[in-house]
């Protein structure tokens, strides 16, 4: 295994820890303003999957002797970096409303700027997760990890998006007395 690949995976892990620091700060802010937490049942599975991705990247390359293939690896590095850029664009755009958990503060408007202004990109943060989850292992041809993460992440995203949209619908209907709306609280 290339030492720089191990470093890349460690840097992604450090980035994830930075996300957790931001998420905890934002959770305190949201809960202090009456934030509603939903989806606690699927959250531990998300944490396990994302931790498994990082471990799987290293283990598959080491145990299966996966090579670095420049024609695949370098474009995947570009995608990993692009996914990081998109993720942090989402985080900075949502500000205190961004979280790793589903926490929605009643009465706050939907964010419709930044990546959330793109009508063809309903869940940009989840696109970043999906791209990173496929690209990071493929940097060093860990294709089993890429496939397993992609499949399991797709299942979790169905659950997660349904959870988010359900809580948004409920809060919107309760606050306006009208029919539920659709939105992205990511």
């Amino acid at each position: 295994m290339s030492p720089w690949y191990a470093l890349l995976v460690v840097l992604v892990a450090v980035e994830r820890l930075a996300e957790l620091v931001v998420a905890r700060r934002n959770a305190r802010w949201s809960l202090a303003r009456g934030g509603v937490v939903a989806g606690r049942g699927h959250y531990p599975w998300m944490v396990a999957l994302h931790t498994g991705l990082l471990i799987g990247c290293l283990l598959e390359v080491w145990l299966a002797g996966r090579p670095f293939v420049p024609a695949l690896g370098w474009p995947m590095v570009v995608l990993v970096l692009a996914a990081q850029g998109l993720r942090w664009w989402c985080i900075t755009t949502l500000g205190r409303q961004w979280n790793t958990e589903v926490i929605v503060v009643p009465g706050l408007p939907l964010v419709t700027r930044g990546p959330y202004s793109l009508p063809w990109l309903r869940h940009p943060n989840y696109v970043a997760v999906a791209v990173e989850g496929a690209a990071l292992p493929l940097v060093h041809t860990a294709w089993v990890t890429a496939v397993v993460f992609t499949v399991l992440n797709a299942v979790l995203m169905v659950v997660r998006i349904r959870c988010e949209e359900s809580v948004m619908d409920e809060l919107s209907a309760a606050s306006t007395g009208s029919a539920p709306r659709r939105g992205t609280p990511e």
Side-chain angles (χ1 to χ4, degrees):
M1 174 182 343
S2 302
W4 66 266
Y5 180 65
L7 177 62
L8 176 64
V9 174
V10 167
L11 289 174
V12 170
V14 168
E15 184 278 332
R16 292 296 173 87
L17 293 174
E19 283 182 32
L20 291 176
V21 169
V22 171
R24 287 195 177 137
R25 183 190 67 219
N26 291 347
R28 285 191 301 273
W29 181 88
S30 295
L31 295 174
R33 285 155 183 77
V36 176
V37 182
R40 287 193 169 147
H42 73 265
Y43 187 72
W45 292 104
M46 287 183 65
V47 172
L49 180 61
H50 287 255
T51 303
L53 169 67
L54 299 174
I55 293 168
C57 284
L58 297 175
L59 283 179
E60 183 178 350
V61 170
W62 180 54
L63 294 174
R66 302 285 190 228
F68 175 75
V69 177
L72 174 64
W74 289 118
M76 293 302 108
V77 168
V78 170
L79 286 177
V80 168
L81 295 175
Q84 296 301 322
L86 178 56
R87 174 181 288 115
W88 282 96
W89 188 20
C90 292
I91 291 169
T92 57
T93 299
L94 290 174
R96 293 185 172 180
Q97 291 179 262
W98 180 86
N99 210 297
T100 56
E101 294 184 87
V102 178
I103 305 176
V104 180
V105 179
L108 288 182
L110 286 177
V111 174
T112 57
R113 63 188 186 286
Y116 298 94
S117 67
L118 305 171
W120 49 269
L121 190 59
R122 186 160 166 82
H123 296 281
N125 192 55
Y126 299 151
V127 170
V129 169
V131 169
E132 179 191 72
L136 183 61
L138 291 176
V139 166
H140 220 292
T141 63
W143 63 271
V144 172
T145 301
V147 169
V148 169
F149 178 86
T150 298
V151 169
L152 294 177
N153 185 59
V155 171
L156 272 174
M157 285 302 95
V158 168
V159 172
R160 174 74 170 216
I161 290 169
R162 284 182 182 162
C163 173
E164 283 184 355
E165 291 187 352
S166 173
V167 72
M168 291 296 291
D169 285 350
E170 290 172 23
L171 289 175
S172 177
S175 68
T176 63
S178 64
R181 67 179 173 149
R182 293 281 173 209
T184 304
E186 292 178 33

